[in-house]
Structures are given as C-alpha cells and as structure tokens.
Amino acid sequence: MRYMSDDHTHVQEFFTERAADWDSRFPDDGPAYASAVTELGLRAGDRVLDAGCGTGRALPPLRAAVGPSGVVLGMDLTPAMLQAAVRAGRDRAGCLLLADVAALPVRSESLDAVFAAGLIAHLPRPADNLRELARVVRPGGTLALFHPIGRAALAARQGRQITPGDLRAEGNLGPLLAGSGWRMTSYVDEDARFLTLAVRGR
C-alpha cells in the first residue's frame, strides 16, 4: 500500500473523528444502499469491491447479491472505519482490507464490479483513481457511484452551494469517467439518492 499523502491524512482525520457514531448519524440509509446494490446487476458467484467501504453498510446487500460462492471485498483508508465495520458484524459479509484506492492490492481485471458510496468527493486525483478502479474490473464490468442523498440535499445539509465544478454534475462526471476507462450508462440525482452507473470499456 502507498504511503499516505497530505490528502490522505486529511481524509483519515475527517473519518476517524466520525467513525464511532457514523451509523447512528445516518440510521435510515440501509434501504437506499440495498436498492443501489440491486442496480449493479450482480449475479451469484460475482466478485465485487466496496471501495471506500467505511463502516461496511453496503457489505450485507453485496453478499446477498453474490451469494456464498461470490467474493466481497471492503476496502477503506481509515482504520477506525474498518473497526466500526467489525463492531457492527459486517466483516462476516466480506473481507475487510486497509487499502488506498490509488493503488489497490487486487489483480487487474479480477473483479466483476465496484460499488463506491460517497467516494468520489474524497479522491485526490479523480481521473487517476477512477482509472485504478477500472484496472481491477474485467471489461464489461460495472461501477456504481452512490450517495444516499442527492447533490442538492447534501449541499443543503452541509450549508454550501453546488458549484459548476462539482465532479458529480452529469456534465463533469460523464467525461471524467470516459477518460478513465468507463462509459456512463445511467445518472440519477434526486433528493433521495445519487446513483451513477458505468461500464468498464473493452
């Protein structure tokens, strides 16, 4: 695993402070996670990565989707978040790894899909990091960029305005994905959720 840059340190500090009560702050997000996982179209036996898994809220629905013969990996940069996932028992749904999405400890083209909740806003080099996610997914595999509330609702919660440079805006995200080995296939940004699906190029 790469050593942490200043950007990584900032992300780790942010989430370390919030890990212990993260789930209790957002207790109603479970159904939104499950619904987003369903849209990945996973099948029994698939191999899937939850990139930036946090406390592992996506791991149980991912395991349910791929079944006992599938592989579920949960990777996060922040040890405290992974510890919270273990306390919640979600390590039973997947293998938890401390890892950096800039240099994933996974063989090229070895996965069928990547699920990433709330990740893109924390990527220090989005194009490079999305390219690394593409590296580990087979051609034709899928990516879900998810957040349990949409951009406007999230901005309002954080007391800020959406800017034209927001990476998650459709006009910005589509070209970003295309330049990183992905093709956007759907885009939803509504109060109840944000979900972009993309397919790995061949």
Side-chain angles (χ1 to χ4, degrees):
M1 185 173 58
R2 290 161 28 111
Y3 289 103
M4 309 304 178
S5 69
D6 290 341
D7 287 322
H8 292 114
T9 300
H10 172 74
V11 170
Q12 281 187 320
E13 289 174 350
F14 178 89
F15 285 107
T16 296
E17 293 173 359
R18 293 161 174 79
D21 66 346
W22 187 261
D23 286 351
S24 62
R25 293 174 63 198
F26 308 107
D28 302 322
D29 287 348
Y33 274 78
S35 176
V37 167
T38 297
E39 297 206 32
L40 261 179
L42 294 168
R43 297 170 295 185
D46 276 355
R47 303 167 62 92
V48 60
L49 166 66
D50 183 357
C53 67
T55 61
R57 287 177 292 176
L59 297 179
L62 288 170
R63 171 56 67 193
V66 303
S69 63
V71 174
V72 178
L73 302 176
M75 297 186 188
D76 203 272
L77 190 65
T78 305
M81 285 299 227
L82 295 176
Q83 291 160 10
V86 171
R87 286 195 301 273
R90 296 179 184 132
D91 56 322
R92 294 192 293 270
C95 178
L96 297 177
L97 298 171
L98 181 67
D100 181 353
V101 295
L104 294 168
V106 178
R107 293 193 312 275
S108 297
E109 300 186 4
S110 63
L111 301 177
D112 297 291
V114 172
F115 184 86
L119 179 70
I120 192 165
H122 299 286
L123 296 177
R125 292 180 302 281
D128 291 342
N129 302 149
L130 288 168
R131 195 171 295 115
E132 174 67 355
L133 293 178
R135 178 188 68 79
V136 302
V137 174
R138 64 171 174 77
T142 52
L143 167 70
L145 299 175
F146 167 73
H147 200 282
I149 60 175
R151 292 190 306 132
L154 182 61
R157 174 190 288 175
Q158 297 173 342
R160 60 177 178 82
Q161 299 288 324
I162 295 177
T163 65
D166 184 351
L167 287 179
R168 289 172 297 178
E170 186 172 9
N172 297 331
L173 188 54
L176 176 63
L177 287 165
S180 304
W182 300 97
R183 175 176 57 84
M184 183 189 291
T185 56
S186 69
Y187 180 91
V188 175
D189 180 19
E190 55 196 21
D191 283 349
R193 69 170 178 169
F194 175 91
L195 180 64
T196 294
L197 299 177
V199 172
R200 158 82 146 77
R202 297 186 180 273

